[in-house]
Amino acid sequence: MLEKLKELALRQEDLEARLADPSVYGDGKRLAAIQRELKELTPVVEAAGALEAAERRREEAEALLRDPELKALAQEELAAAKAEAERRREELKRLLLPRDPNDGRNAVLEIRAGVGGEEAALFAGELR
């Protein structure tokens, strides 16, 4: 998984470099595709960086456990870092789930007053 995250970070850097190229702005479809992909990649790469930082904090806290004077503080820091790392790991798992192909499409939702008489009509009218 770490290799895949590194590949995504490299892909993000590549897309950012492409956006720096003025010739991209002449082709609207190409520009939109690059921006769309960059928009999808950015949260994943940021979450991976945050997970990496939390893991570093955990390792530093584990190293401090050896010092008798800082042991109590290190235990608190270790517990917080483990919780943070677990939270970041879950967030990253959620971000890596496959996207629904219909997520980017527009949708129209029609709400009509139905059963419930006048109250339903008033409620449907308030939703506009």
Side-chain angles (χ1 to χ4, degrees):
M1 183 168 103
L2 293 176
E3 289 105 24
K4 179 69 174 171
L5 292 174
K6 288 179 183 179
E7 288 176 17
L8 291 177
L10 290 174
R11 178 68 180 157
Q12 181 190 24
E13 289 176 14
D14 179 51
L15 291 171
E16 289 172 348
R18 287 184 187 186
L19 281 179
D21 182 16
S23 66
V24 171
Y25 291 92
D27 185 2
K29 288 183 181 180
R30 185 172 158 207
L31 177 64
I34 290 172
Q35 287 177 331
R36 190 176 316 111
E37 187 176 354
L38 189 59
K39 181 181 175 186
E40 290 176 4
L41 278 180
T42 300
V44 175
V45 173
E46 288 175 354
L51 174 61
E52 189 176 317
E55 288 293 335
R56 259 194 320 270
R57 278 185 49 214
R58 184 186 56 79
E59 291 170 1
E60 291 169 358
E62 286 175 348
L64 287 177
L65 282 174
R66 296 184 205 111
D67 188 353
E69 294 176 5
L70 298 174
K71 189 170 185 173
L73 180 64
Q75 287 175 339
E76 290 176 19
E77 180 66 25
L78 181 60
K82 282 183 179 179
E84 175 74 12
E86 186 59 33
R87 187 176 65 81
R88 296 295 184 173
R89 202 171 285 113
E90 291 300 318
E91 178 186 2
L92 191 58
K93 284 179 187 177
R94 183 183 51 80
L95 289 171
L96 289 174
L97 288 174
R99 302 246 188 271
D100 185 352
N102 295 324
D103 279 349
R105 295 185 178 183
N106 294 332
V108 175
L109 176 65
E110 183 176 348
I111 298 175
R112 296 182 182 184
V115 178
E118 188 176 325
E119 288 181 16
L122 290 171
F123 177 73
E126 289 292 320
L127 293 176
R128 286 189 226 163

